[in-house]
Amino acid sequence: MHPRDAVRLTIALLSTGTAAHAVETYRSFAAMVYRPERSKGPHPASWGVHEGVTLELVLPSMFTADWIGEGAGEDPFNCAPYLELQENQRIATIEHMPLRDGTDGKSGLYFSPAARTIEDRRARAGIHVSRGIKPIDLMSCALPFALERQNRASWETLRDETEAEQARRYRDKAVEPEWPLVRARSDGGGQRLMANRRTAFKQADLTRALKGVLAAGLAVAGVKIDREGNIDVKLGSAEQVKPANDWD
């Protein structure tokens, strides 16, 4: 699966509860434009946010960004982003924790149609319905692509191979034949590529750490993985798992 496919499925599933309307609502939400006057920043630099950018372009940047950010605001998930699509209101938001200490309230991005149609106005009638995806699940969507870039192998290979096969793959340098596939997925039609380097951690290590935190009844605000493979799970409050929407 390409990152753009993951983005399209995410938008389609959140935009409507009716399969027959999925294509129509996906196109509507995907084309929504970032509104800086109704947003509150700063935002992670790795998201590629700028005036006029659409929701369909911000999410692939989030999914294909380097998880080991070089500077402040580079890590795409350290701020615990929460994506929400409001079906009737025809707006989309990505709320996240402030990047600067001492900032009041939450930060976030606001997206709305470039021009509202008659269908958009009609949809505002009735019970308002919104659907969101919490930070840990949003991070899970991007995890396979991050592992691909760091391991230089497809996520299908990483998912199915045993530890012995992984060791043999590194020893025999058998990752090179798959690198064009991984590169094409990470590129995403112009998306930034991270430096090629071998990962020092395994997906099982990250999964085990996250399951342990969730089993303890704690919320995950973000995950940071350093160059040595050390996993730092940042804990958050219950409000960070599903934050209130300040734009309602």
Side-chain angles (χ1 to χ4, degrees):
M1 178 181 290
H2 193 281
R4 286 175 296 184
D5 298 326
V7 167
R8 288 165 181 166
L9 285 172
T10 300
I11 295 176
L13 290 171
L14 295 180
S15 62
T16 182
T18 306
H21 299 157
V23 174
E24 177 187 353
T25 55
Y26 155 74
R27 290 172 177 168
S28 174
F29 279 91
M32 288 185 179
V33 179
Y34 166 62
R35 303 294 184 182
E37 70 278 5
R38 302 197 64 178
S39 303
K40 183 178 180 181
H43 316 294
S46 56
W47 293 2
V49 178
H50 58 83
E51 187 171 357
V53 71
T54 62
L55 179 64
E56 192 178 27
L57 292 179
V58 169
L59 291 179
S61 295
M62 180 189 297
F63 284 7
T64 59
D66 186 349
W67 284 26
I68 309 176
E70 296 291 345
E74 289 290 340
D75 189 325
F77 296 102
N78 193 40
C79 60
Y82 174 78
L83 171 65
E84 182 174 280
L85 273 58
Q86 299 186 23
E87 182 176 355
N88 305 77
Q89 294 291 85
R90 290 293 199 268
I91 61 173
T93 59
I94 304 178
E95 294 190 359
H96 60 83
M97 302 307 296
L99 301 185
R100 298 173 181 169
D101 293 337
T103 303
D104 294 332
K106 295 182 177 66
S107 298
L109 286 74
Y110 184 101
F111 298 85
S112 64
R116 291 195 179 273
T117 63
I118 295 178
E119 288 74 15
D120 291 334
R121 295 187 177 92
R122 288 174 178 170
R124 296 173 68 92
I127 300 174
H128 290 177
V129 179
S130 63
R131 302 175 185 86
I133 179 169
K134 56 188 178 182
I136 188 63
D137 293 329
L138 198 60
M139 189 187 310
S140 298
C141 294
L143 177 60
F145 307 115
L147 293 174
E148 279 189 345
R149 294 191 302 277
Q150 295 189 33
N151 285 274
R152 296 171 62 86
S154 68
W155 65 265
E156 293 92 341
T157 294
L158 299 174
R159 176 195 62 192
D160 298 333
E161 70 181 355
T162 64
E163 289 191 9
E165 290 172 336
Q166 182 186 61
R168 184 167 59 252
R169 177 165 56 83
Y170 281 126
R171 184 185 66 241
D172 300 338
K173 297 182 179 179
V175 297
E176 295 302 328
E178 286 193 333
W179 182 237
L181 168 64
V182 176
R183 184 182 180 88
R185 286 178 173 175
S186 299
D187 188 350
Q191 295 293 333
R192 180 175 57 259
L193 288 174
M194 66 178 287
N196 301 334
R197 58 174 175 268
R198 175 176 160 186
T199 183
F201 77 99
K202 300 181 181 66
Q203 181 177 4
D205 298 332
L206 180 59
T207 302
R208 191 180 302 111
L210 294 178
K211 284 184 177 180
V213 173
L214 296 177
L218 302 174
V220 177
V223 175
K224 188 173 184 64
I225 305 168
D226 64 21
R227 297 182 186 279
E228 285 70 41
N230 298 315
I231 301 173
D232 179 19
V233 180
K234 297 183 181 297
L235 303 180
S237 62
E239 288 74 14
Q240 291 177 351
V241 176
K242 189 181 187 310
N245 194 324
D246 297 333
W247 291 302
D248 281 344

